[in-house]
Amino acid sequence: MYKLLIRPIFFLFDPEKIHHFTFNLLRFLGKVPGVKAIWKGLYATKSESLKRTFFGIDFPNPVGLAAGFDKDAKLIDELGCFGFGFVEIGTLTPKGQPGNDKPRLFRLPEDKALINRMGFNNGGVDEAVLRLKSRKSKVIVGGNIGKNKVTPNEEAFKDYEIAFEALYDHVDYFVVNVSSPNTPNLRALQDKKPLAEIIQKLQAINKTKPTQKPILLKIAPDLTDGQLDDIVELVNDVKLDGLIATNTTISRENLSTSTQKVEAIGMGGLSGKPVKDRSNEVLSYLRKALGNDYPIIGVGGIMSPEDAAEKMKAGASLIQIYTGFIYEGPGFVKRINSKIAATMA
């Protein structure tokens, strides 16, 4: 029903506007007595074979929602009904910021892809904390954190520290985002020295807490093998708890969408089917370098249950979806979990 009826209607409208419309609709429907129970009945999958434990967290299933969909933690309770094993909020910055100029989100239906240059638009970490305090769902929540656009790179660590401290009591794990292509010079923080400084300062704060929260790093698919080797060395040096591979790509190779349309869209991170192969290559490279037990969350190009199974085979401990959720609809999570459970049988 979603792909035959709802998606064609949604795709007639501006992507960002329909995103906000959907959020408001889900919030409204979620307040109707019994609706959340119906959602859980339709979309949740419970199976012992789907359970996973990584970095001290017990996940009911390996399928998560990637950061960027619910930046401000507005739909945690509702999204918790759609079968996700975990939901990642953010990217959150210390201060709220409007992000880049609109339009900044574009569909490429021929490629089953999106291009976004949102620019860390969010209401700020303190607003998200207020929502997290009032949430009722027990779904596992990750906090994806970044720096404000106006913060110079040499002071970026301060922004990550502020967001880390604010979110500490309200999320289950953290993700350091230095790989978005939509904030000027952000990806320069993926270089070994500045990245090590950020991670080490967060780890120092973490060690002062009664219990430590896992800290993960999200990386770009556009890194060279040499840069990936630096990431592997960093993992070992600072005892990073896990990696997320990968973010969106700046590449525009092998697209079916016309060059004219792609050039008219301009800059931004590409997600969806076109990023799958490179994302899997990065994932496989990291898996071989880090061994079978190191936690890696695989994300990028999962547009079918078969893609999810391929991601797991490439070395993903857990997986996340975003663009596939938009193209395939709310039943997508259950179909993926069913596929993974079947492969485990």
Side-chain angles (χ1 to χ4, degrees), residues 165-215:
E165 286 277 21
L167 283 171
Y168 191 85
D169 292 329
H170 310 288
V171 299
D172 298 288
Y173 69 89
F174 284 92
V175 180
V176 175
N177 187 355
V178 292
S179 54
S180 169
N182 302 316
T183 295
N185 301 317
L186 182 76
R187 284 190 169 193
L189 295 175
Q190 290 183 119
D191 291 342
K192 190 175 179 181
K193 185 177 179 180
L195 186 53
E197 180 184 32
I198 292 169
I199 300 297
Q200 286 169 344
K201 288 184 179 295
L202 294 182
Q203 292 285 34
I205 296 172
N206 209 8
K207 289 177 182 177
T208 68
K209 305 294 184 180
T211 57
Q212 282 72 56
K213 297 286 176 74
I215 300 175

Side-chain angles (χ1 to χ4, degrees), residues 2-251:
Y2 175 82
K3 288 196 286 185
L4 290 175
L5 180 61
I6 298 175
R7 189 179 75 184
I9 295 173
F10 279 5
F11 276 30
L12 293 174
F13 299 93
D14 174 80
E16 189 169 355
K17 289 180 180 179
I18 207 67
H19 183 82
H20 292 305
F21 169 81
T22 304
F23 263 51
N24 292 331
L25 179 62
L26 290 175
R27 270 205 303 267
F28 172 77
L29 292 175
K31 293 177 182 177
V32 178
V35 167
K36 289 180 181 176
I38 292 172
W39 285 342
K40 288 180 181 179
L42 287 173
Y43 303 120
T45 303
K46 291 185 178 181
S47 172
E48 289 295 318
S49 66
L50 291 172
K51 292 182 178 179
R52 304 283 191 279
T53 300
F54 292 104
F55 35 81
I57 298 175
D58 296 324
F59 294 86
N61 70 68
V63 184
L65 180 64
F69 190 88
D70 188 10
K71 291 175 179 287
D72 291 298
K74 292 181 176 180
L75 273 188
I76 297 294
D77 290 337
E78 292 79 7
L79 291 169
C81 300
F82 285 94
F84 288 106
F86 57 109
V87 172
E88 195 170 304
I89 60 171
T91 298
L92 288 164
T93 56
K95 298 177 182 177
Q97 57 184 28
N100 294 323
D101 294 337
K102 300 177 182 179
R104 55 194 181 181
L105 181 61
F106 309 88
R107 302 185 193 96
L108 278 62
E110 294 175 51
D111 291 289
K112 292 187 176 180
L114 298 173
I115 291 176
N116 93 83
R117 51 170 176 269
M118 305 300 288
F120 287 178
N121 60 306
N122 71 106
V125 69
D126 291 337
E127 284 191 10
V129 166
L130 291 176
R131 297 188 187 97
L132 289 168
K133 284 181 177 179
S134 63
R135 75 184 181 98
K136 297 178 177 62
S137 170
K138 295 181 180 180
V139 66
I140 294 164
V141 176
N144 188 300
I145 56 177
K147 80 173 189 72
N148 280 113
K149 184 177 180 179
V150 297
T151 303
N153 276 9
E154 56 268 23
E155 297 181 13
F157 69 90
K158 296 178 182 178
D159 279 11
Y160 288 94
E161 287 178 334
I162 292 168
F164 186 86
E165 286 277 21
L167 283 171
Y168 191 85
D169 292 329
H170 310 288
V171 299
D172 298 288
Y173 69 89
F174 284 92
V175 180
V176 175
N177 187 355
V178 292
S179 54
S180 169
N182 302 316
T183 295
N185 301 317
L186 182 76
R187 284 190 169 193
L189 295 175
Q190 290 183 119
D191 291 342
K192 190 175 179 181
K193 185 177 179 180
L195 186 53
E197 180 184 32
I198 292 169
I199 300 297
Q200 286 169 344
K201 288 184 179 295
L202 294 182
Q203 292 285 34
I205 296 172
N206 209 8
K207 289 177 182 177
T208 68
K209 305 294 184 180
T211 57
Q212 282 72 56
K213 297 286 176 74
I215 300 175
L216 286 70
L217 172 69
K218 189 168 188 175
I219 64 172
D222 309 306
L223 298 179
T224 64
D225 287 354
Q227 289 172 312
L228 291 175
D229 290 337
D230 285 343
I231 295 294
V232 170
E233 191 172 329
L234 179 73
V235 164
N236 294 320
D237 287 347
V238 302
K239 309 302 180 188
L240 200 62
D241 294 290
L243 293 173
I244 299 184
T246 62
N247 212 319
T248 57
T249 180
I250 58 175
S251 172

